[in-house]
Amino acid sequence: MASSMKFTDCSPSAIVRLVPSTRTRLRSSDSAVLFHRVLGRSCPAYPRTFVSRSSISTLPVISASISTEATAQVIDGKLVAKQIREEITAEVSRMKDAIGVVPGLAVILVGDRKDSATYVRNKKKACESVGIKSFEVNLPENATEQEVLKHISDFNDDPSVHGILVQLPLPKHMNEQNVLHAVSIEKDVDGFHPLNIGRLAMRGEEPLFVPCTPKGCIELLHRYNISIKGKRAVVIGRSNIVGTPAALLLQREDATVSVVHSRTKDPEELTRQADIIISAVGKANMVEGSWIKPGAVIIDVGINPVEDASSPRGYRLVGDVCYEEASKIASAITPVPGGVGPMTIAMLLSNTLTAAKRTHNFQ
Ligand SMILES: NC(=O)C1=CN([C@@H]2O[C@H](COP(=O)(O)OP(=O)(O)OC[C@H]3O[C@@H](n4cnc5c(N)ncnc54)[C@H](OP(=O)(O)O)[C@@H]3O)[C@@H](O)[C@H]2O)C=CC1
Ligand SMILES: Nc1nc(=O)c2c([nH]1)NC[C@@H]1CN(c3ccc(C(=O)N[C@@H](CCC(=O)O)C(=O)O)cc3)C=[N+]21
């Protein structure tokens, strides 16, 4: 469906929106702004300075005019995440009314990384918005691994905590494996425990939880009716938290999957054959338009800060993909911000609800 929904754009300066088959209303991306200097890698085939319009469609039609260039459907993660939060709110309330149980999520944050503090704050806000109780432990950068393990053990034993998340990365002096192994697999809402990852990799096995970011990517494809079965998919990146579980999930969905990493020769030869690309690298503008097959679907997980003097923060976030270039070639694409990021948090809430339901045998 997505590939049949390509339309002409009026100029490089406009972003066209269209309505997905679910009739969800789409927004155009707000990721392209006026005259910013990008310090990351720049997109070669596209000028650095351009203008883009952002607006919300009120009509189930396409706003387009004279041009030869197509514009991809914007996969609006912010909108879908909001819908999912509404679904979770209803379930949390149904469970509370029926059995008096409120799901609880514990987050452990070690150190004072600004980005980690922001993510944790956002997770807490999201929990509040759906009625999940949140517990938070903040430890200093020089805390010991034993201290972290002690908090995990306390949360493992606490019946009001159904999910435990240890914010990554941990300080260098800690062994991440030891810490992640310590989380009870029934409370492993990040899905990072080796048993959960192992089960994800095995046919006939079911993990208790699937990692939130890859799960959010697949959920976006499902909710936009983008079929995966039989498609060629390329995942760029092979980390334990995104790339590898994303490839395993795509394979479970019957895609034929290739994984590109830092040692891959000529990655663009592989990506050019892909119907679906999930990029999780952390390099601004690495995936150029010329890497993309016309009509492909692009899920951009990368979150990369680039200098932007006109933004209040002094920087703005971009993905791994040259967005403007890609949106002229792909049939559908996630923006950054507003794509996969909000879905990660929505999936964390969903996993926490699942954990509480499973513990209390509540259907
Ligand atoms: N939107 C969201 O919700 C989330 C976004 N992120 C973002 O996603 C990105 C990736 O995160 P994460 O997986 O944790 O990162 P990691 O740094 O753990 O992994 C990056 C992966 O990219 C690969 N890579 C590095 N350089 C290249 C290259 N030139 N070509 C191809 N592959 C390359 C690495 O290969 P190798 O294995 O060979 O080293 C590695 O597998 C980051 O920008 C992060 O901020 C992360 C989590 C959630
Ligand atoms: N144990 C653990 N679990 C994680 O899931 C985990 C982690 N550690 N460490 C760091 C990464 C990163 N991550 C993001 C979550 C949400 C957004 C997000 O909501 N991003 C917004 C932008 C936010 C902003 O503007 O700063 C967006 O893309 O629209 C981004 C990144 C989860 N991670």
Side-chain angles (χ1 to χ4, degrees):
M1 64 113 220
S3 53
S4 65
M5 298 182 87
K6 286 162 61 189
F7 297 87
T8 52
D9 186 1
C10 53
S11 74
S13 68
I15 290 177
V16 183
R17 291 143 286 104
L18 43 102
V19 175
S21 60
T22 53
R23 298 210 164 263
T24 310
R25 195 189 291 165
L26 285 181
R27 293 182 45 182
S28 65
S29 159
D30 55 358
S31 68
V33 243
L34 289 174
F35 305 111
H36 291 308
R37 188 160 72 96
V38 177
L39 277 193
R41 195 178 186 296
S42 56
C43 303
Y46 207 80
R48 274 292 94 237
T49 53
F50 54 84
V51 184
S52 145
R53 249 188 351 235
S54 173
S55 59
I56 295 176
S57 170
T58 50
L59 295 168
V61 291
I62 312 312
S63 49
S65 54
I66 354 122
S67 166
T68 50
E69 281 174 334
T71 297
Q73 179 177 27
V74 178
I75 300 177
D76 188 340
K78 203 168 163 187
L79 184 76
V80 175
K82 182 167 172 276
Q83 288 166 351
I84 292 172
R85 284 200 304 276
E86 284 163 8
E87 292 160 19
I88 294 172
T89 306
E91 279 298 279
V92 167
S93 145
R94 188 173 69 86
M95 182 157 85
K96 188 177 173 192
D97 292 347
I99 58 169
V101 172
V102 175
L105 173 69
V107 176
I108 300 176
L109 172 63
V110 189
D112 41 25
R113 278 178 67 118
K114 262 203 178 141
D115 57 344
S116 293
T118 306
Y119 295 143
V120 170
R121 205 170 43 245
N122 290 345
K123 283 166 191 166
K124 201 172 167 183
K125 268 204 304 219
C127 282
E128 278 162 17
S129 80
V130 300
I132 289 178
K133 196 166 169 4
S134 67
F135 302 79
E136 198 182 322
V137 166
N138 289 295
L139 296 171
E141 178 76 23
N142 62 1
T144 63
E145 194 175 305
Q146 275 59 46
E147 281 175 84
V148 176
L149 293 174
K150 170 77 173 94
H151 284 288
I152 292 176
S153 159
D154 290 348
F155 285 137
N156 280 342
D157 295 340
D158 184 342
S160 55
V161 170
H162 304 95
I164 301 171
L165 178 147
V166 182
Q167 185 68 24
L168 300 178
L170 285 165
K172 291 210 165 43
H173 64 275
M174 289 187 195
N175 181 327
E176 202 174 281
Q177 296 308 90
N178 286 348
V179 172
L180 297 181
H181 279 231
V183 175
S184 148
I185 73 158
E186 285 82 18
K187 299 192 179 188
D188 176 36
V189 285
D190 251 335
F192 294 167
H193 193 288
L195 265 177
N196 276 323
I197 301 273
R199 288 182 186 176
L200 186 65
M202 291 174 74
R203 289 180 73 77
E205 294 273 358
E206 287 300 325
L208 292 176
F209 301 99
V210 172
C212 302
T213 302
K215 188 177 176 185
C217 296
I218 302 295
E219 188 68 27
L220 280 177
L221 295 173
H222 285 165
R223 292 210 180 210
Y224 275 77
N225 290 331
I226 295 168
S227 75
I228 305 174
K229 198 184 185 112
K231 296 289 162 62
R232 287 188 187 185
V234 168
V235 177
I236 318 181
R238 56 173 168 182
S239 71
N240 288 337
I241 76 170
V242 194
T244 294
L248 293 173
L249 269 181
L250 284 166
Q251 201 168 303
R252 283 175 93 96
E253 296 271 336
D254 293 327
T256 301
V257 185
S258 306
V259 176
V260 164
H261 49 75
S262 67
R263 306 301 161 108
T264 302
K265 299 243 185 328
D266 303 325
E268 61 273 29
E269 271 178 25
L270 287 162
T271 57
R272 268 184 214 130
Q273 296 175 40
D275 303 305
I276 298 170
I277 298 176
I278 296 186
S279 183
V281 174
K283 288 199 157 62
N285 300 322
M286 189 184 85
V287 180
E288 300 165 14
S290 64
W291 289 35
I292 298 167
K293 177 168 101 172
V297 173
I298 314 292
I299 306 291
D300 192 352
V301 180
I303 304 258
N304 307 295
V306 296
E307 188 183 279
D308 178 358
S310 73
S311 151
R313 304 193 275 196
Y315 69 90
R316 69 192 162 97
L317 299 177
V318 302
D320 292 342
V321 179
C322 290
Y323 184 85
E324 292 297 324
E325 259 182 46
S327 63
K328 292 186 179 356
I329 300 160
S331 61
I333 185 166
T334 58
V336 176
V340 176
M343 289 298 288
T344 296
I345 296 186
M347 293 300 105
L348 175 66
L349 303 176
S350 164
N351 280 352
T352 305
L353 173 65
T354 301
K357 282 184 168 180
R358 194 182 278 136
T359 304
H360 293 277
N361 204 12
F362 180 74
Q363 318 289 330

